[in-house]
Amino acid sequence: MAPARAVVVPADRTARAEDREIDAVIAWFADEGRDLPWRHEGVSAWAILVSEVMLQQTPVVRVLPRWREWMERWPEPADLADAPTAEVLRCWDRLGYPRRALRLQECARAIVREHGGRVPHGEEALRALPGIGEYTAAAVTAFAHHGRAVVVDTNIRRVLARSVLGRPVPDRSYSAAERALATRSLPAEQGRSVAWNQAVMELGALVCTARSPRCELCPLKAQCAWVAAGRPAAEEGSRPRQAFEGTDRQMRGKIMAVLRQDGSSREAPLFALDAEDPARVRRCLESLITDGLAVRNGAEVRLP
DNA sequence: AAATCGGGGTT
DNA sequence: AACCCAGATTT
């Protein structure tokens, strides 16, 4: 399990070896990291927070255009707080999981109400905001406030699972042991910790990818436990994942697409979205209303 | 710990 | 057709 170099090496030599690994990854990022707009100098903490929420389960390429438009329309938390929610949901478009858009607006309102319109510092205060969980609080702390935080996203999980544990994929669920590993791996010095978080995340996105990792380009290839083990394949997925086709999630998406397009709709036409299963349409409609993503007035349904 | 919550590009 | 993506929230 543990990497070979963990075996009884003088503390100072271990430290220097780890420092070289860290520097190699940071240097790789300086050369190969993408020029993403939310990484630019002078981008506000709010803009970075928005990017992080949009990036929750949505790939970078799809976030880019939405983020640009969003920040142009609502550059400050107060702007989003005052926006019509229907417009917010339209601008969110097809980023997926539209509850994130709702929570982001609630987040903006909480920032205005409780923090004077400024993104608060500190992971505890950040986590208290709607839609901000462990990852996003750490990411905002690191990338917006340049603080030392244990950032663990899907990319970092994969890089650590492979390079340190020698495993092809991380576990399904995020464990305390995994958090401890990420904590141990984080450089002690603040500036280096920020660079490390950014660099490892990018390494996972560009090189140590889920499908076809490009190990030949990896700054960690010489000391990667997974490479050393001969890059063993992952076990076959024990459970087939739930298909998307035919799920409530898909139907909710279809209904939201209609509401974004038309602003409102009579209820009856929505049942044409699945003539085979009106109960499903009904169920999804009710759940959207419960979630605050749609409102009913009379025989019509519209965006909130 | 597991389920639920979109949507689309890649393989 | 399956897999994956800068996760959060609820149960």
Side-chain angles (χ1 to χ4, degrees):
Chain A
M1 273 306 179
R5 58 183 161 68
V7 179
V8 192
V9 173
D12 58 324
R13 288 191 54 193
T14 301
R16 281 193 284 128
E18 288 174 355
D19 282 348
R20 281 197 297 275
E21 272 184 48
I22 292 165
D23 289 338
V25 174
I26 292 173
W28 170 87
F29 177 76
D31 291 338
E32 305 294 338
R34 290 167 293 183
D35 176 30
L36 300 176
W38 43 83
R39 290 177 178 165
H40 289 184
E41 192 71 24
V43 171
S44 71
W46 170 244
I48 291 171
L49 187 156
V50 170
S51 79
E52 292 298 347
V53 172
M54 288 183 169
L55 287 163
Q56 291 167 1
Q57 297 290 282
T58 302
V60 168
V61 287
R62 234 186 310 161
V63 166
L64 281 168
R66 301 291 88 223
W67 182 81
R68 292 184 204 278
E69 183 185 345
W70 192 283
M71 296 321 301
E72 195 168 322
R73 292 184 68 168
W74 305 302
E76 303 285 339
D79 301 317
L80 184 64
D82 292 340
T85 301
E87 282 308 298
V88 171
L89 289 171
R90 276 212 188 81
C91 191
W92 190 261
D93 196 40
R94 292 167 298 178
L95 287 181
Y97 298 141
R99 291 193 292 198
R100 287 184 293 161
L102 236 40
R103 293 195 184 117
L104 190 49
Q105 186 175 40
E106 293 166 9
C107 177
R109 289 173 175 161
I111 288 174
V112 168
R113 186 180 347 111
E114 299 165 21
H115 301 284
R118 308 275 300 176
V119 175
H121 287 246
E123 293 183 72
E124 191 178 351
L126 287 164
R127 282 212 57 167
L129 297 169
I132 308 297
E134 179 175 344
Y135 162 77
T136 306
V140 169
T141 296
F143 307 138
H145 299 321
H146 308 292
R148 185 174 183 278
V150 180
V151 178
V152 187
D153 77 324
T154 185
N155 292 305
I156 293 181
R157 291 188 69 201
R158 188 172 51 250
V159 173
L160 293 179
R162 286 178 178 161
S163 67
V164 179
L165 305 178
R167 302 185 37 192
V169 292
D171 288 333
R172 280 276 218 199
S173 55
Y174 179 53
S175 65
E178 215 178 331
R179 184 182 295 104
L181 170 60
T183 303
R184 268 184 274 127
S185 306
L186 189 69
E189 195 273 316
Q190 175 178 320
R192 285 161 62 77
S193 75
V194 173
W196 168 257
N197 281 324
Q198 192 74 266
V200 177
M201 198 178 302
E202 191 76 338
L203 191 62
L206 299 183
V207 173
C208 193
T209 54
R211 302 291 182 88
S212 319
R214 308 164 71 187
C215 298
E216 69 281 2
L217 301 178
C218 184
L220 294 175
K221 62 177 180 290
Q223 49 270 355
C224 176
W226 186 54
V227 168
R231 293 177 51 170
E235 324 247 339
E236 290 304 315
S238 47
R239 275 190 322 283
R241 223 185 260 189
Q242 187 191 29
F244 180 54
E245 187 67 28
T247 59
D248 283 3
R249 211 144 94 238
Q250 184 192 37
M251 176 56 62
R252 283 165 56 104
K254 287 182 178 177
I255 295 172
M256 288 302 292
V258 170
L259 297 184
R260 279 196 308 268
Q261 178 68 38
D262 304 342
S264 67
S265 169
R266 299 183 63 81
E267 283 193 49
L270 295 176
F271 286 88
L273 292 172
D274 187 354
E276 306 294 307
D277 192 354
R280 177 169 163 244
V281 178
R282 166 75 58 195
R283 181 173 68 244
C284 290
L285 201 45
E286 294 305 326
S287 75
L288 288 172
I289 291 169
T290 299
D291 288 348
L293 288 165
V295 296
R296 193 198 317 270
N297 58 342
E300 276 201 346
V301 180
R302 56 177 178 77
L303 294 177

